[in-house]
Amino acid sequence: MFDILMYLFENYIHSESEIFVEENVLTDELRKAGFNNSEIFKALDWLEQLAQLQYSDERPYLHNAPTGACRIYTEYESMKLDTQCQGFLMFLEQIGVINSTTREMVIDRAVALDQEQIALDDLKWVVLMVLLSVPGQEQAYAQMEDLIFDDPNPTLH
């Protein structure tokens, strides 16, 4: 499923391509690219749930999370997101790339991936997808892109 999300992100969401593609056209293209039906539907459902997070009354914690609070992970979340991933999310929040609401969205979508444990690199892409989906997060998205794509050993002046 994650491969499909990456394919969609690179070919539709992140590019200047037409974002609004009919689902059956998109499904056909994904089949032609070699993805199977069940994984395609899981990925499309994942994206739909991401869009619903912004407007969901079922998850009121998204919009009522106190700033400066310490996030305690559930046992299940800790199994999926190791301490490196948790530390990375804390780092992103401390430097202002994500806030408590976008952090919760990232955790929700990362845990929803069909992987036993989320690798840090995969988590970074989830953060990008979440930031891109939230209106008004363009600056945060650009900062996250810089963190991912810039030289890992910058020259200090």
Side-chain angles (χ1 to χ4, degrees):
M1 175 176 75
F2 191 75
D3 291 334
I4 296 171
L5 292 170
M6 291 302 302
Y7 179 88
L8 292 171
F9 184 77
E10 291 172 352
N11 291 294
Y12 288 96
I13 300 169
H14 187 253
S15 70
E16 296 297 321
S17 300
E18 178 63 38
I19 293 175
F20 303 103
V21 177
E22 288 187 37
E23 187 173 329
N24 60 348
V25 173
L26 186 58
T27 303
D28 289 343
E29 182 177 331
L30 290 170
R31 277 191 207 113
K32 289 176 187 173
F35 299 111
N36 68 48
N37 282 340
S38 68
E39 294 299 308
I40 292 169
F41 293 123
K42 284 180 192 177
L44 294 177
D45 183 56
W46 189 94
L47 289 170
E48 184 177 322
Q49 289 180 29
L50 172 59
Q52 289 175 354
L53 281 177
Q54 296 177 56
Y55 310 105
S56 177
D57 292 333
E58 296 173 17
R59 294 179 177 96
Y61 62 85
L62 285 178
H63 306 293
N64 297 322
T67 55
C70 179
R71 175 60 155 86
I72 306 296
Y73 291 82
T74 66
E75 185 177 337
Y76 182 69
E77 290 168 341
S78 294
M79 287 181 356
K80 299 274 269 190
L81 299 166
D82 63 13
T83 54
Q84 186 180 26
C85 289
Q86 292 174 29
F88 183 70
L89 289 174
M90 183 185 302
F91 166 73
L92 291 178
E93 194 168 358
Q94 288 172 342
I95 65 170
V97 172
I98 61 175
N99 57 36
S100 58
T101 300
T102 50
R103 176 196 65 219
E104 293 304 315
M105 292 174 76
V106 168
I107 293 169
D108 183 273
R109 294 295 76 214
V111 169
L113 291 172
D114 61 353
Q115 299 175 3
E116 281 188 39
Q117 190 170 36
I118 309 305
L120 180 59
D121 286 339
D122 293 349
L123 180 64
K124 291 176 181 179
W125 287 104
V126 172
V127 172
L128 275 176
M129 289 181 222
V130 167
L131 290 175
L132 188 62
S133 75
V134 178
Q137 295 295 318
E138 294 80 13
Q139 180 63 34
Y141 177 85
Q143 285 179 279
M144 187 64 197
E145 260 190 331
D146 290 345
L147 285 172
I148 290 177
F149 297 119
D150 276 356
D151 182 11
N153 299 313
T155 304
L156 297 176
H157 297 278

